[in-house]
Amino acid sequence: FPTRRSSDLVVAAALERTRSYFEEEFDIVVADISQDSGNVATLDIRGLTAIVGVGGPVSLLVAFSFDPRLMDVLYARMIEGIDVPPGEEDTYRSSVAAEIVNTIIGNCTAELQQRDSTITLTPPMIIESAKYIHRMKDAVFISRSLNSEFGSVDINLVGPGELFDRNLNYVK
């Protein structure tokens, strides 16, 4: 099971990497950060959400939920100069979200690496409709929202990752 300390390292790394990536790659300044009370019973993952499993010394699911306005800006800036075939916009939007999350979490791995252990990442899973994750006993739930002039991105950590199947259903 991940400890609160190890999950805090993931949160700190994800927040810093998201902030720097948004500023450097998209010229989007993150104005402030809000956080949960640490005692939420349900995570509301809304909007376009990309979820990555992190394995190794820290085993968690990390879900980035993008405000639709923010996703519009990220999408427009990332596909600039690319001809998106008609009817493929949703596929490209999902790919943009997956690429952003892959980059951020991939850049976090150096900070999370411990001697003699490897960190694994799953390919991002994309959810486009509202979904809830209810906290189980001993699960770690941490939520932070990074706010910008274009909207927010919620970063949710859920662990241990072994509690969930590929569709975010609890494994009995």
Side-chain angles (χ1 to χ4, degrees):
F1 291 102
T3 64
R4 182 57 113 164
R5 184 177 163 279
S6 62
S7 57
D8 287 344
L9 290 173
V10 176
V11 171
L15 291 173
E16 181 53 38
R17 295 298 180 168
T18 302
R19 174 178 292 148
S20 64
Y21 185 63
F22 278 25
E23 289 178 8
E24 293 168 14
E25 294 297 320
F26 301 105
D27 198 28
I28 295 174
V29 175
V30 175
D32 63 350
I33 299 171
S34 61
Q35 63 186 38
D36 66 25
S37 65
N39 197 21
V40 294
T42 304
L43 287 180
D44 177 11
I45 53 175
R46 58 189 165 77
L48 182 62
T49 300
I51 303 171
V52 174
V54 179
V58 177
S59 182
L60 296 168
L61 294 176
V62 183
F64 282 70
S65 294
F66 297 92
D67 180 290
R69 288 185 317 124
L70 177 59
M71 192 66 229
D72 289 344
V73 172
L74 295 169
Y75 173 76
R77 292 181 185 178
M78 191 168 256
I79 66 153
E80 191 174 323
I82 298 173
D83 291 326
V84 176
E88 296 292 318
E89 296 84 5
D90 288 343
T91 300
Y92 277 68
R93 283 177 75 80
S94 294
S95 294
V96 164
E99 181 63 27
I100 289 169
V101 172
N102 261 341
T103 301
I104 292 168
I105 298 300
N107 286 331
C108 289
T109 59
E111 294 174 42
L112 305 175
Q113 187 67 46
Q114 296 177 4
R115 187 175 41 206
D116 300 329
S117 63
T118 58
I119 294 176
T120 59
L121 301 177
T122 65
M125 183 174 84
I126 303 297
I127 297 174
E128 295 189 50
S129 60
K131 185 109 175 172
Y132 299 92
I133 300 175
H134 299 279
R135 183 163 74 181
M136 290 183 66
K137 182 181 177 185
D138 298 326
V140 174
F141 267 27
I142 300 173
S143 296
R144 302 290 185 268
S145 292
L146 297 174
N147 301 307
S148 77
E149 66 180 297
F150 304 108
S152 63
V153 58
D154 297 335
I155 303 174
N156 301 296
L157 277 62
V158 181
E162 295 82 14
L163 291 176
F164 306 95
D165 68 13
R166 291 174 34 129
N167 297 313
L168 296 183
N169 297 311
Y170 287 106
V171 176
K172 307 263 183 223

